[in-house]
Structures are given as C-alpha cells and as structure tokens.
Amino acid sequence: MSTYGTAPGAGPAVYDPVTLPSDDNVDPYTFCVELKGNQWFLQKGKMIAYYGSVEFNGIGHGRLDRLVRTSFHSPLHASDWVVAEGSGKMLLADRAFDVNAYDLDEGNLTIRSGNLLAFQPSLSLKQSIVPGFLTLIGTGKFVAASNGPVVFMEPPVRVDPQALVGWADCPSPCHHYDHGYMTGVMGGLRALTGLGGTSGEEHQFEFVGAGTVLMQSSEELMPELDTGATPQQAGVPGAGMSGGHGQGPGTPRLPGQLGDLQRRFGL
Amino acid sequence: MFRLQSSKVLAVDMTGDAVKAKNGSMVAYDGEMAFKKLTGGGEGIRGMVTRRLTGEQMTLMEVKGHGTCFFADRASEINLITLQGDKLYVESSNLLATDGGLRTGTTFTGLRGASQGNGLFTTTVEGHGQVAVMSDGPAVVLRVSPQYPLSVDPGAYVAHRGNLRQSFQSGVTFRTLIGEGGGEAFQIRFEGDGLVYVQPSERNTIAGDV
C-alpha cells in the first residue's frame, strides 16, 4: 500500500475507489458517481477524474440510439451531452460551484440548462418552453450546480431572473414588472431612456401555485449554452423572433428599454 | 510553520527562517519581514536558463524574518502539502509558497502538459517541508495504487506526487472529427503509487472543446 498522506495530520482526506462515496458528494464542490455497468447522461467537460473503465460517447453514437430515444428529447442540446458507461467511480465538478444531487420521484423539474451536470437515464430530458431551460420528468437522480448553496422557496414568490436556478412541480413563471417603472411621465421616461436612476430590480419572475422554486445565493449566471433555435412554427415561444411586434432584430434597442424574452432570460 | 488562516489565506509563522513565495502574494504581515526577489527562483544560473528555455516561468520572492506573514492570490483555495523527502510535481502557476529548504526545479511532462495548455514542462518541489498549492475550489486528493489507476481531465489536474507514471489517453475517433465526440477526448492516466490533486473546476484547454 501507498504511504503517501497516511501520516496523521497530513492534511485533507485522501480518497481511493473504496473510500469515495457512491452517488454522493465528496465535498460541496465535487460529486462522485458510481457506475456499475449502468449509464449516466453527462454534460460535456464536467468529468474531472475517474477510476475504473468508463467510456464516453456522444449522443449521436449509433449504439445509444435506443437510450436516447427513451430519455433524451432535446435535439438542440444533443451536442452538449455525452453518455458515460462502464464500471468505476467518476468525479463531477463545475467551475468550483456548489454541486448537489436531487432525487425526483414521478416528478418534474425545470432547470437552467447551464446548471444541469448529469442525470440518470430513468429521467427524461425535455426542452422547457421557457427558452434556456430544460425539464426533467420521471424518477431518478440528477446532479446540478449552483453558485452558492441552493435555497428552496415556496410560491407565491417573485424572484430575480439571475438568481433563479429552476422550479419543480409548479406552473412556469411569468414576468412581473414593477408598476411604477411603467406608469407616469417619469416612469415612462425612465423606461425609455434608462435615465433617472433604475434600481435594477424592476423585473422579476413570478411564481404562483404549489411547488418549489430553487434559487442560488448569487446573481452570477452560468455561462449559457448555445441552445440553438426552436422550430419556426406558429405558437412556439421564441421561434425565430419573427412574431408580431414591430421591432425587427435590426432595430437598435434604446438603453433601459424592456428587452425581449430571451434577453431577459440571460440568453 | 504553514497553517491556513482561512481556506484562502496562508499564514506562515517564522522565527528567523525563510520561505519562498510567489512574487507579490504577501497580503499582510506581523513582525519584522524582509522581502527579496529571487532571481530565477533561487535555482541558480542553470535553473534560470532552464526556466527561460522551457517557458515554465516562475517569479519567486524570499521572505525572511520574525513574526507571521500572510499570503493569498486571487482568492484561490490553498492546499497544504507536507513533503517527506519525496517529489511534488505542480504547475508553476499553482505554486504559492514553499519552505525555504525545499528545492524547486523543472521537468519534462510530455504531451500531458501540452494538452493542458501549460507547455511541455512542469515544476518540481523536492525535500522535507511544506508546500502551499493553489487550486480553483478545494482540491480533492485521489490515491493511485497499482490496482487502481486513475484518469484525470487535463483541465482539472493540479499536482501529483509519488512514484507515478503518466500517460496520455486519447479517445479521438472519427466521431470527434465530425463533431460527435465524447467531450472527454483527452485524459491523463496515472499508474503506479502516489497521490493526485484534482480541482473541482476545469481550466480552458484545447481538449475541452473536442
């Protein structure tokens, strides 16, 4: 056996495949997944180390066709995901952000696409109709990252767009704008020009109904993944942005003007 | 004597002895201290030339005095490592401070370094004493033994020690070339007997994109 680091007081704990936890956190920033011939969906580049023999295959791999058909329904995200399979223990981490595993039991949860690290194939991944978010449906475990520990809140609640991580079991949020920001001469002027001082908190997401809202204790966003464009089809939110309102994509936006949906979601 | 004031600040209690630290990493001190830039990291002319040639640049200062000196760098997490005659391999950019008595040098790492974007060479620290190594997020220490080899993402690798062989593992196939790669195309495989320090974050590497 190795003698390194076994002396008392020699510093942090030393892990080997036996002492690493199975499907649990190693520390607040690192999560260990145990593979015993099963498969996990994994976002690209979140694996930091592994013991044993683990194979990583892109979603497009022919052999995974059946698995993808049953549990992966987000063609726009396909290039960001891989399937890990084999046996061994695998460590996942993301930019030294807090990571946590959550269990879903016949439930649904919607999460910002950049925050989801990995999930079991017993869950199925779908694109939320809210751009930039993904919905997990079914039973199983998934691993998500947040900047700072996750705070759980009960609706009704209004949350800051940058601090929202996701929500479970409740209806999708709507936008909420502070009344004073939009009414009156001064309000209109402010909304139009951004002059006259804005607190930066005029816009929130509003949740109602029963469920849980997940917040991070910071307003730092994960760098968003390129989610591509949704199919250009009548009735699909965010499809191509060619819809009704007069403002084309070429029109310069005035400072302080309320942005379109995607920009408000940090896309 | 090295100790952690917090996970991001290193405190060194000194009684006339010296430590080598990254240039400019002192944040506060208590007592009498003298700071001297170590030209060439205190490795002499030969070490200086080697560092210049290998691109493994490292600017160190020598701190000497009585009292307590505090070091920190860009709020990185600090990990203390005690060396007992063995050799630590660490990237020069991750090295914060070492005991004055430890020898530092450079060594060839081969393709592993290239895949990290850190060049083909790495820094070694050898002797008896303590080393403070920085990482983005607290490092996880993983043991490698003959029956348990370890594969590490080049972007998450921080340091290693002991009698380890490292080889470069590539999963590049025709699928990588058509953009259907596994996302984890390059790994460093450690075999032998020793410890590997891994950070819960990935630097941007060439390997990160394929």
Side-chain angles (χ1 to χ4, degrees), chain A residues 172-244:
Chain A
S172 291
C174 49
H175 294 272
H176 174 90
Y177 295 100
D178 278 355
H179 185 65
Y181 186 62
M182 289 176 296
T183 52
V185 178
M186 283 312 287
L189 212 64
R190 275 210 291 269
L192 211 64
T193 62
L195 299 175
T198 52
S199 68
E201 305 285 3
E202 293 81 14
H203 169 241
Q204 299 97 29
F205 289 158
E206 179 159 353
F207 288 89
V208 289
T212 313
V213 180
L214 282 72
M215 313 276 307
Q216 62 181 12
S217 42
S218 141
E219 298 197 359
E220 190 179 326
L221 287 176
M222 302 281 174
E224 285 293 334
L225 296 168
D226 185 16
T227 51
T230 33
Q232 296 222 1
Q233 209 175 331
V236 177
M241 293 317 296
S242 53

Side-chain angles (χ1 to χ4, degrees), chain A residues 2 15 45 47 50-51 82 96, chain B residues 141 143 151 153 182 187 193 200 202:
Chain A
S2 163
Y15 293 99
M47 186 280 296
Y50 67 86
Y51 285 107
V82 293
Chain B
V141 192
R143 166 166 291 131
S151 301
D153 190 290
Q187 285 127 23
D193 200 5
E202 297 194 359

